[in-house]
Amino acid sequence: AGGYMGALLFGYLQRASALYGTGLGGLPSSPRIMCATAVSALALNKVLSKNFVLGYAGEQHARLTDMTDVDAIAQRLQGYKGAVLGTEYFLEQRPVTSNTYGTSPNSKTYEFYLDRPRRDGDEASQAIPDSVCGEMFDNTLAACKKAQLEHVIVVETPQTDGATEYLEKLKQCGLCYTYIRFNGELVNISDHTYQKGVQGDLRIAASSVLGVKNDDDMCIDPIYREDAAALICQSLQSLDWSTSRCLSVTSEGIWGGALEAPAKRSDRDWCVNSDALAARLAGIN
């Protein structure tokens, strides 16, 4: 998925894939991000160069994909063992990038984001039928099954009302999954880089099911998007891929360790202070 949060996740995965012992990587094109148009691919590299100290994604990493075609999605997933996808994406209608999968010069497609683009208003998504999001999720899940992935992480996006429909589809598909709900407003950390690392005190509760979102479950303290993306990356490393689970995530403000921790050599970490997330996930099966 495109957007800031998708770019953050790619950046963390790219760094983690380059380090021994993370269990990630293994392919020259790893990690890979799928987006619908070149707009998201260009935006991805803007985030990487700023937040990941001149990080870069080449054409082998950012692949433009027709998300209405299960076979096209499955082809992009060949050789990979895991994937991260969203529930109800924020969609933005755009022209299909030239010389890709368009059938005419006027072909349109939907770019998809894990979170609302900062440049956009509410009116853009209101004109798009809800069925488009559902079809995109179904197609992606079917492609993951066809590509014989071992595990998928499903991120409940802010515009998703509840988990029941998506959990039912995951169970019917038969893939092992981790479903993550962030119970709090998602905000950005100013001038963040991976060297600043994890800043929030995230609390993680595991369960077998999640229901409809409840305002009473929402935490007062916001959740940093940068921390949310880091948690997704750490989940791929820490959790058992042969087990399905739901995670409910809240924040209790700034993590004290982020303020007190001495300076570390950031070239040895895919994200500074990620060990705090690993400790939170250690007791979850």
Side-chain angles (χ1 to χ4, degrees):
Y4 181 59
M5 193 164 169
L8 287 170
L9 176 58
F10 178 91
Y12 286 135
L13 286 171
Q14 188 176 52
R15 285 195 56 80
S17 297
L19 296 176
Y20 177 78
T22 61
L24 302 177
L27 294 175
S29 59
S30 181
R32 170 170 290 173
I33 185 170
M34 284 191 287
C35 40
T37 68
V39 171
S40 280
L42 292 172
L44 167 64
N45 276 315
K46 289 182 179 180
V47 174
L48 294 178
S49 64
K50 178 183 177 182
N51 296 62
F52 294 90
V53 191
L54 302 181
Y56 180 76
E59 290 185 5
Q60 74 274 27
H61 298 114
R63 303 305 299 267
L64 307 189
T65 307
D66 180 3
M67 300 303 289
T68 66
D69 187 338
V70 173
D71 290 335
I73 302 171
Q75 184 181 29
R76 302 299 195 207
L77 293 170
Q78 288 297 326
Y80 292 87
K81 296 182 179 180
V84 179
L85 54 149
T87 49
E88 185 176 342
Y89 292 110
F90 181 86
L91 301 177
E92 190 176 47
Q93 191 172 53
R94 289 190 167 276
V96 174
T97 302
S98 300
N99 301 318
T100 55
Y101 53 85
T103 56
S104 76
N106 298 319
S107 294
K108 301 286 186 181
T109 189
Y110 291 106
E111 191 57 89
F112 54 106
Y113 308 92
L114 286 175
D115 200 3
R116 182 183 299 277
R118 286 176 289 181
R119 66 181 180 277
D120 216 289
D122 294 335
E123 65 279 358
S125 61
Q126 291 175 353
I128 299 173
D130 292 339
S131 60
V132 175
C133 281
E135 180 184 357
M136 190 173 291
F137 183 85
D138 293 345
N139 289 344
T140 307
L141 203 58
C144 290
K145 181 72 171 179
K146 188 170 186 176
Q148 299 182 336
L149 267 61
E150 296 178 9
H151 197 88
V152 294
I153 288 188
V154 179
V155 181
E156 186 177 273
T157 60
Q159 54 268 32
T160 306
D161 292 328
T164 304
E165 174 188 355
Y166 296 98
L167 290 175
E168 185 59 34
K169 289 180 178 180
L170 286 164
K171 291 174 183 176
Q172 291 177 359
C173 178
L175 287 171
C176 293
Y177 63 86
T178 298
Y179 187 101
I180 303 179
R181 170 181 290 176
F182 294 102
N183 287 301
E185 179 189 4
L186 294 174
V187 300
N188 294 350
I189 300 174
S190 178
D191 297 322
H192 184 268
T193 69
Y194 79 92
Q195 295 165 318
K196 282 188 177 180
V198 175
Q199 298 291 303
D201 186 6
L202 298 185
R203 302 304 171 97
I204 307 163
S207 64
S208 58
V209 294
L210 286 173
V212 177
K213 280 185 177 178
N214 190 326
D215 290 340
D216 294 337
D217 296 330
M218 299 291 282
C219 55
I220 297 175
D221 293 297
I223 297 173
Y224 296 123
R225 288 184 177 90
E226 295 81 359
D227 292 351
L231 176 62
I232 297 168
C233 183
Q234 186 63 57
S235 296
L236 283 167
Q237 300 172 60
S238 296
L239 299 178
D240 182 0
W241 283 24
S242 64
T243 302
S244 295
R245 65 189 65 79
C246 298
L247 302 181
S248 180
V249 183
T250 58
S251 174
E252 295 195 359
I254 298 293
W255 175 54
L259 303 175
E260 302 168 1
K264 300 171 63 178
R265 282 191 57 177
S266 57
D267 59 333
R268 296 179 178 176
D269 294 302
W270 60 269
C271 175
V272 173
N273 301 329
S274 59
D275 51 345
L277 298 178
R280 293 275 192 250
L281 292 168
I284 297 175
N285 296 317

